[in-house]
Amino acid sequence: MITIEKVIKQLRVNAEIVRAMVEPMSDEQANWKPDEKTWNMKDVMEHVYNEERIDFRKHLKEMFSDPPQPWGAFRHEELISAKSCHQALENFLSERQASLEWLQSLKSPNWDVESQATFGPDEVLTFKAGDVLGSWVAHDFMHIRQMNELLYAWNAQQVSPYSVRYAGGW
């Protein structure tokens, strides 16, 4: 069984992984896309920054309020763009610190409290607070994987005319 202490530790570690992946990056690399459909690293960092601000922590706060509040609707005007990938990284790290402090302040939260969220025009899903907490960590892992794929593709492009075949199958 996962505990809040383990989640806090993993969220902290994930933030450091993101920092280690993004901090050494040049602006050229941060804005590079392997193709037109793929996000660049700046896009990914803006997304994780905005998610940290207006998704997981916010929704858990709504669920834990007395009385519980329904999930607020997603509004595109709440999204914040960053001047650079490095600015988005710093913004994310600041918001993550605020999230960690908030999680640490919780006293005996009820992880079974439920809330409904609307996705698209007709899909309404019910989530427990524990689902949201576990999904927060999973969301980090998904974007760390995405960032790793971007780093791999950048490296493969940079070594041209040589190849990265010797590294093994991706």
Side-chain angles (χ1 to χ4, degrees):
M1 178 71 173
I2 196 154
T3 65
I4 186 67
E5 293 80 18
K6 288 179 183 175
V7 168
I8 290 169
K9 182 176 181 179
Q10 190 62 61
L11 289 171
R12 182 175 283 115
V13 167
N14 290 353
E16 288 308 311
I17 290 168
V18 169
R19 178 195 306 270
M21 294 173 92
V22 175
E23 215 168 44
M25 201 174 279
S26 68
D27 288 339
E28 176 189 8
Q29 182 179 1
N31 292 307
W32 176 83
K33 293 181 176 193
D35 57 62
E36 283 306 308
K37 292 181 182 178
T38 304
W39 283 1
N40 61 33
M41 195 67 80
K42 180 179 181 271
D43 296 331
V44 176
M45 284 310 309
E46 283 182 345
H47 171 76
V48 296
Y49 162 55
N50 280 297
E51 288 291 303
E52 198 69 26
R53 286 180 41 254
I54 61 175
D55 192 345
F56 298 98
R57 182 178 73 220
K58 176 184 173 193
H59 292 315
L60 283 173
K61 282 182 174 183
E62 291 166 347
M63 294 173 87
F64 291 147
S65 64
D66 189 18
Q69 298 172 358
W71 279 25
F74 174 78
R75 297 189 324 255
H76 285 281
E77 61 272 11
E78 287 185 278
L79 297 176
I80 296 176
S81 297
K83 288 188 280 186
S84 70
C85 184
H86 292 98
Q87 182 62 58
L89 171 65
E90 291 308 313
N91 294 347
F92 163 74
L93 293 171
S94 176
E95 288 294 332
R96 176 55 57 94
Q97 184 58 38
S99 294
L100 294 171
E101 290 170 7
W102 177 75
L103 285 168
Q104 288 172 321
S105 76
L106 295 177
K107 304 292 184 234
S108 303
N110 178 4
W111 297 110
D112 290 322
V113 67
E114 293 183 342
S115 189
Q116 290 188 330
T118 304
F119 291 88
D122 348 323
E123 188 174 14
V124 177
L125 301 176
T126 301
F127 295 105
K128 292 183 178 184
D131 299 327
V132 177
L133 186 69
S135 295
W136 197 346
V137 174
H139 184 262
D140 275 3
F141 291 147
M142 290 170 49
H143 288 295
I144 288 168
R145 178 182 65 191
Q146 181 183 26
M147 296 165 120
N148 199 41
E149 289 171 353
L150 281 167
L151 291 170
Y152 180 90
W154 171 262
N155 181 65
Q157 184 254 357
Q158 292 296 300
V159 301
S160 181
Y162 304 105
S163 90
V164 295
R165 274 191 333 226
Y166 182 67
W170 183 249

Coordinates of all heavy atoms in Angstrom, one line a residue, residues 27-63:
D27 N 18.7 26.5 -25.3 CA 17.4 26.9 -25.9 C 17.1 26.2 -27.2 O 16.0 25.9 -27.5 CB 17.4 28.4 -26.0 CG 17.3 29.2 -24.7 OD1 16.9 28.6 -23.7 OD2 17.7 30.4 -24.7
E28 N 18.2 26.0 -28.0 CA 18.0 25.4 -29.3 C 17.4 24.0 -29.0 O 16.4 23.6 -29.7 CB 19.3 25.2 -30.0 CG 19.2 24.5 -31.3 CD 20.5 24.2 -32.0 OE1 21.6 24.4 -31.4 OE2 20.5 23.7 -33.1
Q29 N 18.0 23.2 -28.1 CA 17.5 21.9 -27.9 C 16.1 21.9 -27.3 O 15.2 21.1 -27.6 CB 18.4 21.1 -26.9 CG 18.0 19.7 -26.6 CD 19.0 19.0 -25.7 OE1 20.0 19.6 -25.2 NE2 18.7 17.7 -25.4
A30 N 15.8 22.8 -26.4 CA 14.5 22.9 -25.7 C 13.4 23.2 -26.7 O 12.3 22.8 -26.4 CB 14.6 24.0 -24.6
N31 N 13.7 23.9 -27.8 CA 12.7 24.3 -28.8 C 12.7 23.3 -30.0 O 11.8 23.5 -30.8 CB 12.9 25.7 -29.2 CG 12.7 26.7 -28.1 OD1 11.6 26.7 -27.5 ND2 13.6 27.5 -27.8
W32 N 13.6 22.4 -30.0 CA 13.7 21.4 -31.1 C 12.6 20.4 -31.0 O 12.2 19.9 -29.9 CB 15.0 20.7 -31.1 CG 15.2 19.6 -32.1 CD1 15.6 19.8 -33.4 CD2 15.0 18.2 -31.9 NE1 15.6 18.6 -34.0 CE2 15.3 17.6 -33.1 CE3 14.7 17.5 -30.8 CZ2 15.2 16.2 -33.3 CZ3 14.6 16.1 -30.9 CH2 14.9 15.5 -32.2
K33 N 12.0 20.0 -32.2 CA 11.0 19.0 -32.3 C 11.5 17.9 -33.3 O 11.9 18.3 -34.4 CB 9.7 19.5 -32.8 CG 9.0 20.5 -31.9 CD 7.7 20.9 -32.6 CE 6.8 21.8 -31.7 NZ 5.5 21.9 -32.2
P34 N 11.3 16.6 -33.0 CA 11.7 15.6 -33.9 C 10.8 15.6 -35.2 O 11.2 15.2 -36.2 CB 11.6 14.3 -33.2 CG 10.9 14.6 -31.9 CD 10.9 16.1 -31.7
D35 N 9.5 16.1 -35.0 CA 8.6 16.2 -36.1 C 7.5 17.2 -35.7 O 7.5 17.7 -34.5 CB 7.9 14.8 -36.4 CG 7.3 14.2 -35.2 OD1 6.3 14.8 -34.7 OD2 7.7 13.1 -34.8
E36 N 6.6 17.6 -36.6 CA 5.6 18.6 -36.3 C 4.6 18.2 -35.3 O 4.0 19.1 -34.6 CB 5.0 19.1 -37.6 CG 5.9 20.0 -38.4 CD 6.3 21.2 -37.6 OE1 5.5 21.9 -37.0 OE2 7.6 21.4 -37.6
K37 N 4.3 16.9 -35.1 CA 3.3 16.4 -34.2 C 3.7 16.4 -32.8 O 2.9 16.3 -31.8 CB 2.8 15.1 -34.6 CG 2.0 15.0 -35.9 CD 1.5 13.6 -36.2 CE 0.8 13.6 -37.6 NZ 0.4 12.3 -37.9
T38 N 5.0 16.3 -32.6 CA 5.6 16.1 -31.2 C 5.9 17.4 -30.5 O 6.3 18.3 -31.1 CB 7.0 15.3 -31.4 OG1 6.7 14.1 -32.1 CG2 7.6 15.0 -30.0
W39 N 5.6 17.4 -29.2 CA 5.9 18.5 -28.4 C 7.4 18.6 -28.3 O 8.1 17.6 -28.3 CB 5.4 18.3 -27.0 CG 3.9 18.6 -26.8 CD1 3.0 18.9 -27.8 CD2 3.2 18.5 -25.6 NE1 1.8 19.1 -27.2 CE2 1.9 18.8 -25.8 CE3 3.6 18.2 -24.3 CZ2 0.9 18.8 -24.9 CZ3 2.6 18.2 -23.3 CH2 1.3 18.5 -23.6
N40 N 7.9 19.9 -28.1 CA 9.3 20.0 -27.8 C 9.4 20.1 -26.2 O 8.4 20.0 -25.5 CB 9.9 21.3 -28.4 CG 9.2 22.6 -28.0 OD1 8.7 22.7 -26.9 ND2 9.1 23.5 -29.0
M41 N 10.6 20.2 -25.7 CA 10.8 20.2 -24.3 C 10.2 21.4 -23.6 O 9.6 21.2 -22.5 CB 12.3 20.1 -23.9 CG 12.6 19.7 -22.5 SD 12.1 18.0 -22.1 CE 13.5 17.1 -22.8
K42 N 10.2 22.5 -24.3 CA 9.5 23.7 -23.7 C 8.0 23.4 -23.5 O 7.4 23.8 -22.5 CB 9.7 24.9 -24.6 CG 9.1 26.2 -24.0 CD 9.4 27.4 -24.9 CE 8.7 28.6 -24.3 NZ 7.4 28.9 -24.8
D43 N 7.4 22.8 -24.6 CA 6.0 22.5 -24.5 C 5.7 21.5 -23.3 O 4.7 21.7 -22.6 CB 5.5 21.8 -25.8 CG 5.6 22.6 -27.0 OD1 5.5 23.9 -26.9 OD2 5.8 22.0 -28.1
V44 N 6.5 20.5 -23.1 CA 6.4 19.6 -22.0 C 6.5 20.3 -20.7 O 5.6 20.1 -19.8 CB 7.4 18.4 -22.1 CG1 7.3 17.5 -20.9 CG2 7.2 17.6 -23.4
M45 N 7.5 21.1 -20.6 CA 7.7 21.8 -19.3 C 6.5 22.8 -19.0 O 6.1 22.9 -17.9 CB 9.0 22.6 -19.3 CG 10.2 21.7 -19.1 SD 10.1 20.5 -17.7 CE 9.6 21.6 -16.3
E46 N 6.0 23.5 -20.0 CA 4.9 24.4 -19.8 C 3.7 23.5 -19.3 O 2.9 23.9 -18.4 CB 4.5 25.1 -21.1 CG 5.4 26.3 -21.3 CD 5.0 27.1 -22.6 OE1 4.2 26.6 -23.4 OE2 5.6 28.2 -22.7
H47 N 3.5 22.4 -19.9 CA 2.4 21.5 -19.5 C 2.5 21.0 -18.1 O 1.6 21.2 -17.3 CB 2.3 20.3 -20.5 CG 1.3 19.2 -20.0 ND1 0.0 19.4 -20.2 CD2 1.5 18.0 -19.4 CE1 -0.6 18.3 -19.7 NE2 0.3 17.5 -19.2
V48 N 3.7 20.5 -17.7 CA 3.8 20.0 -16.3 C 3.7 21.2 -15.3 O 3.2 21.0 -14.2 CB 5.1 19.1 -16.1 CG1 5.0 17.9 -16.9 CG2 6.3 19.9 -16.4
Y49 N 4.2 22.3 -15.7 CA 4.0 23.5 -14.8 C 2.6 23.8 -14.6 O 2.1 24.0 -13.5 CB 4.8 24.7 -15.4 CG 4.4 26.0 -14.9 CD1 4.4 26.3 -13.5 CD2 4.0 27.0 -15.7 CE1 4.0 27.5 -13.0 CE2 3.6 28.3 -15.2 CZ 3.6 28.5 -13.9 OH 3.2 29.7 -13.4
N50 N 1.8 23.9 -15.7 CA 0.4 24.2 -15.6 C -0.4 23.1 -14.9 O -1.3 23.4 -14.1 CB -0.2 24.5 -17.0 CG 0.1 25.9 -17.5 OD1 -0.3 26.8 -16.9 ND2 0.9 26.0 -18.5
E51 N 0.0 21.9 -15.1 CA -0.7 20.8 -14.4 C -0.4 20.9 -12.9 O -1.3 20.6 -12.1 CB -0.2 19.4 -14.9 CG -0.7 19.1 -16.3 CD -2.2 18.8 -16.3 OE1 -2.6 17.9 -15.5 OE2 -2.9 19.4 -17.0
E52 N 0.8 21.3 -12.5 CA 1.1 21.4 -11.1 C 0.3 22.5 -10.5 O -0.1 22.4 -9.3 CB 2.6 21.7 -10.9 CG 3.2 21.4 -9.6 CD 3.2 19.9 -9.2 OE1 3.3 19.1 -10.0 OE2 3.1 19.7 -8.0
R53 N 0.0 23.6 -11.2 CA -0.7 24.7 -10.7 C -2.2 24.5 -10.7 O -2.9 24.8 -9.7 CB -0.6 25.9 -11.7 CG 0.7 26.6 -11.7 CD 0.7 27.8 -12.7 NE -0.5 28.6 -12.7 CZ -1.4 28.5 -13.7 NH1 -1.3 27.7 -14.7 NH2 -2.5 29.2 -13.6
I54 N -2.8 23.9 -11.7 CA -4.2 23.9 -11.9 C -4.9 22.5 -12.0 O -6.0 22.4 -12.3 CB -4.7 24.7 -13.1 CG1 -4.1 24.2 -14.4 CG2 -4.3 26.2 -12.9 CD1 -4.7 24.9 -15.6
D55 N -4.1 21.5 -11.6 CA -4.7 20.1 -11.7 C -4.7 19.4 -10.4 O -5.5 19.6 -9.5 CB -4.1 19.3 -12.8 CG -4.9 18.1 -13.2 OD1 -5.7 17.6 -12.4 OD2 -4.6 17.5 -14.2
F56 N -3.7 18.6 -10.2 CA -3.6 17.6 -9.1 C -3.9 18.3 -7.7 O -4.8 17.9 -6.9 CB -2.4 16.8 -9.1 CG -2.3 16.0 -10.4 CD1 -1.5 16.4 -11.4 CD2 -2.9 14.8 -10.5 CE1 -1.4 15.7 -12.6 CE2 -2.9 14.0 -11.6 CZ -2.1 14.5 -12.7
R57 N -3.0 19.2 -7.3 CA -3.1 19.9 -6.0 C -4.5 20.6 -5.9 O -5.2 20.4 -4.9 CB -2.0 20.8 -5.8 CG -2.0 21.5 -4.4 CD -0.8 22.4 -4.2 NE -0.9 23.6 -5.0 CZ 0.0 24.2 -5.7 NH1 1.3 23.7 -5.7 NH2 -0.2 25.3 -6.4
K58 N -4.9 21.3 -6.9 CA -6.1 22.0 -6.9 C -7.3 21.1 -6.7 O -8.2 21.3 -5.9 CB -6.3 22.8 -8.2 CG -7.6 23.5 -8.3 CD -7.7 24.2 -9.7 CE -9.1 24.8 -9.8 NZ -9.4 25.2 -11.2
H59 N -7.3 20.0 -7.5 CA -8.5 19.1 -7.4 C -8.5 18.3 -6.0 O -9.6 18.1 -5.5 CB -8.5 18.1 -8.5 CG -8.7 18.8 -9.8 ND1 -9.8 19.7 -10.0 CD2 -8.2 18.6 -11.0 CE1 -9.8 20.1 -11.3 NE2 -8.8 19.5 -11.9
L60 N -7.3 18.0 -5.5 CA -7.3 17.4 -4.2 C -7.8 18.4 -3.1 O -8.6 18.0 -2.2 CB -5.9 16.8 -3.8 CG -5.6 15.5 -4.5 CD1 -4.1 15.2 -4.2 CD2 -6.5 14.4 -4.0
K61 N -7.4 19.6 -3.2 CA -7.9 20.6 -2.3 C -9.5 20.7 -2.4 O -10.1 20.8 -1.4 CB -7.3 22.0 -2.6 CG -5.9 22.1 -2.1 CD -5.4 23.5 -2.3 CE -4.0 23.7 -1.7 NZ -3.5 25.1 -1.9
E62 N -10.0 20.7 -3.6 CA -11.5 20.7 -3.8 C -12.1 19.5 -3.1 O -13.1 19.6 -2.4 CB -11.8 20.8 -5.3 CG -11.4 22.1 -5.9 CD -11.4 22.0 -7.5 OE1 -11.5 20.9 -8.0 OE2 -11.4 23.1 -8.1
M63 N -11.5 18.3 -3.3 CA -12.1 17.1 -2.7 C -12.0 17.1 -1.2 O -12.9 16.6 -0.5 CB -11.3 15.9 -3.2 CG -11.5 15.7 -4.7 SD -10.5 14.4 -5.4 CE -11.6 13.0 -5.1

